[in-house]
């Protein structure tokens, strides 16, 4: 008996139950990563006192050294590779998944300009390989286990089950229904655990409220500028990744990228971490009227994110791109009197993330639930402009001819080097 074509009650129950387990594991992993990050930086503050620059450089260099050691044990995988391989958890290389989880935990703990998604997904993937080996009687069950694990983990972390299900494409079908069910189960499990640990906090984004419905023509300009920032990230990532791919010794790539990132973080400390908690600092700069600092931070964050991704600092792009777009929106809000700060930042973060991540629908579904105040219209403007920009760019690539037109952009579901995997091999 089948509820839908290809979806049996057995698979549906499996997806929901395992999605909930994955959400709980994601919450435990995220809490552990956050706690370790606090320990690392609090210890550094005690050791270095008021010398913040020395603390930043030393901590990041130590993180890079640990990443080199882990890479010597086994090359790690990027987030996109883990998501693509989730359909075959039994075939995942366990050693590589383990080193990916450890590398992602190190990246978050030592201040990498990346999100914690890679570590969360890697830990769940490691669990999926074990569960698939124990109860995966056939291909359909093993695939359900792998995909439900990723959907449950990201559905909980992003706070958006539909957004997690849309990450690998927006085509509806039996697999998508199972992923959606797993995403909801993971979301509720993640939320329940986070409410038991209020000091950790989830991934909610807090912005100044705006009057509804709110529209200002300047929001379109913000969306265009923020979308261009997303394109800058994609282009810079492509160029640097192509350059470092010629270096045959991974430790050189990790070491060089770490040194450059440490120097950049010493100059602009706000480029550290995923950018989620640092959104508050952007609001402070916006309210202070420091538009130039906001633009400097946005550009520096693009460089920091790119350096981390190509040099083996494993993590996700979502929250760093949100941070970049919010900085651009805040800068424009300072320059345009009367423009609502919340709407400007929401529009910017939606446009930059949708272009840089190349997933407009997933970005909209995630942000519309992640932002803790109603921001539907500004988010729609940002994602709408980003969709048009992505369409124009893809058409331009399709008509440019040559081998470059066939390459996938960094961050896309089909990219083999979305987070710099070629650089760290």
């Amino acid at each position: 008996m089948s509820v839908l074509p290809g979806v049996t009650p057995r698979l549906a129950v499996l997806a929901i139950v395992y999605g909930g387990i994955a959400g709980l594991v994601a919450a435990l992993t995220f809490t552990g990563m956050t706690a370790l990050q606090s320990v690392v930086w609090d210890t550094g503050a005690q050791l270095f006192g008021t010398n913040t620059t020395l603390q930043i450089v030393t901590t990041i260099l130590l993180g890079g050294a640990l990443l080199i050691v882990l890479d010597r044990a086994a090359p790690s995988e990027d987030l996109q590779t883990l998501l693509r391989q989730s359909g075959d958890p039994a075939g995942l290389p366990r050693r590589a998944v383990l080193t990916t989880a450890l590398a992602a935990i190190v990246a978050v703990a030592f201040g990498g300009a990346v999100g914690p998604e890679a570590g969360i997904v890697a830990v769940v993937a490691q669990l999926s390989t074990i569960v698939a080996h124990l109860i995966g009687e056939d291909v359909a069950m093993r695939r359900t286990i792998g995909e439900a694990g990723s959907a449950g983990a990201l559905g909980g972390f992003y706070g958006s089950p539909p957004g997690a299900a849309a990450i690998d494409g927006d085509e509806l079908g039996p697999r998508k229904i199972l992923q959606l069910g797993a995403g909801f189960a993971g979301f509720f499990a993640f939320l329940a655990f986070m409410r038991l640990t209020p000091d950790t906090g989830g991934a909610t984004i807090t912005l100044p409220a705006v009057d509804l419905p709110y529209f200002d023509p300047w929001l379109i300009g913000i969306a265009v500028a923020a979308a261009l920032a997303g394109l800058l990230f994609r282009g810079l990532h492509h160029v640097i990744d192509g350059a470092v791919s010629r270096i045959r010794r991974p430790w050189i790539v990790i070491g060089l990228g770490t040194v450059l990132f440490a120097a950049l973080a010493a100059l602009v400390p706000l480029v550290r971490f995923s950018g989620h908690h640092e959104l508050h600092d952007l609001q402070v700069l916006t309210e202070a009227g420091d538009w130039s600092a906001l633009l400097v931070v946005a550009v520096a964050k693009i460089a920091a994110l790119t350096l981390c991704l190509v040099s083996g600092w494993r993590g996700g792009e979502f929250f760093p791109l949100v941070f970049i777009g919010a900085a651009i929106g805040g800068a424009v809000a300072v320059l345009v009197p009367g423009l609502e700060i919340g709407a400007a930042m929401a529009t910017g973060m939606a446009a930059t993330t949708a272009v840089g991540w190349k997933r407009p629908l997933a970005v909209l579904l995630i942000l519309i639930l992640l932002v803790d105040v109603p921001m539907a219209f500004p988010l729609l403007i940002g994602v709408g402009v980003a969709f048009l920009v992505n369409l124009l760019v893809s058409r331009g690539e399709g008509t440019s001819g040559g081998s470059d037109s066939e390459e996938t952009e960094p961050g896309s579901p089909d990219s083999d080097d979305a987070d710099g995997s070629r650089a760290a091999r």
Side-chain angles (χ1 to χ4, degrees):
M1 179 180 177
S2 177
V3 178
L4 291 171
V7 179
T8 64
R10 188 182 188 189
L11 291 180
V13 171
L14 176 62
I16 292 172
V17 171
Y18 188 64
I21 294 173
L24 178 59
V25 172
L28 289 167
T29 305
F30 177 61
T31 301
M33 294 170 81
T34 304
L36 181 59
Q37 184 185 84
S38 297
V39 169
V40 169
W41 290 93
D42 289 346
T43 302
Q46 294 175 6
L47 291 175
F48 296 98
T50 58
N51 196 337
T52 305
T53 300
L54 183 59
Q55 178 196 0
I56 290 173
V57 172
T58 304
T59 303
I60 292 176
L61 291 179
L62 178 58
L66 292 174
L67 291 176
I68 291 175
V69 172
L70 289 172
D71 185 78
R72 299 287 291 178
S76 58
E77 297 288 357
D78 60 83
L79 175 60
Q80 305 307 327
T81 300
L82 290 176
L83 291 175
R84 283 199 309 274
Q85 294 178 342
S86 63
D88 182 22
L92 284 171
R94 291 193 182 185
R95 191 172 181 180
V97 173
L98 177 60
T99 55
T100 300
L102 294 175
I105 291 171
V106 168
V108 170
F110 287 81
V114 292
E117 297 96 315
I120 291 172
V121 171
V123 170
V124 172
Q126 190 81 320
L127 176 64
S128 296
T129 61
I130 298 172
V131 174
H133 177 73
L134 293 175
I135 67 172
E137 300 176 359
D138 51 39
V139 173
M141 288 188 66
R142 291 192 294 270
R143 186 169 192 171
T144 299
I145 291 168
E147 293 181 345
S150 297
L154 295 180
F157 175 70
Y158 287 137
S160 174
I167 286 176
D168 64 350
D170 55 6
E171 302 85 2
L172 293 176
R175 287 172 51 204
K176 195 66 65 180
I177 299 298
L178 293 175
Q179 289 175 15
L180 189 60
F184 272 103
F187 166 74
F188 288 118
F190 191 97
L191 182 64
F193 181 85
M194 285 301 172
R195 289 194 171 181
L196 296 176
T197 55
D199 293 337
T200 301
T204 303
I205 294 175
T206 301
L207 293 177
V210 299
D211 295 330
L212 296 176
Y214 181 86
F215 173 75
D216 190 302
W218 276 102
L219 295 181
I220 298 176
I222 292 173
V224 172
L228 292 177
L231 283 180
L232 176 60
F233 160 69
R234 280 165 50 178
L236 187 63
H237 186 289
H238 182 74
V239 170
I240 296 180
D241 187 67
V244 301
S245 65
R246 299 182 178 89
I247 302 176
R248 299 304 177 188
R249 297 184 181 275
W251 69 267
I252 295 178
V253 175
I254 299 173
L256 181 59
T258 299
V259 169
L260 292 175
F261 171 53
L264 182 57
L267 293 173
V268 188
L270 272 180
V271 302
R272 294 171 298 157
F273 312 119
S274 69
H276 168 226
H277 294 293
E278 290 68 37
L279 287 173
H280 172 72
D281 298 292
L282 297 183
Q283 293 183 40
V284 172
L285 290 174
T286 302
E287 293 168 357
D290 200 345
W291 63 269
S292 59
L294 288 164
L295 292 181
V296 168
V297 167
V299 174
K301 188 71 169 184
I302 291 173
L305 174 60
T306 305
L307 285 172
C308 286
L309 293 180
V310 300
S311 60
W313 287 67
R314 297 304 185 197
E317 304 164 23
F318 181 83
F319 280 109
L321 290 172
V322 163
F323 177 89
I324 294 165
I328 294 172
V332 177
V334 171
L335 296 172
V336 179
L339 182 59
E340 291 280 358
I341 294 174
M345 296 181 80
T347 302
M349 63 175 60
T352 299
T353 310
V355 172
W357 213 31
K358 293 186 69 175
R359 296 173 174 88
L361 179 60
V363 168
L364 179 61
L365 292 173
I366 292 172
L367 286 180
I368 207 165
L369 294 176
L370 205 56
V371 177
D372 65 352
V373 293
M375 286 286 180
F377 203 60
L379 292 174
L380 281 169
I381 293 173
V383 170
V385 170
F387 175 80
L388 294 177
V389 170
N390 281 334
L391 189 62
L392 290 173
V393 171
S394 63
R395 285 184 176 179
E397 292 172 347
T399 59
S400 61
S403 58
D404 290 342
S405 64
E406 298 177 0
E407 294 182 0
T408 54
E409 289 291 339
S412 68
D414 298 323
S415 173
D416 288 331
D417 56 306
D419 288 338
S421 62
R422 287 188 297 177
R425 291 185 184 281

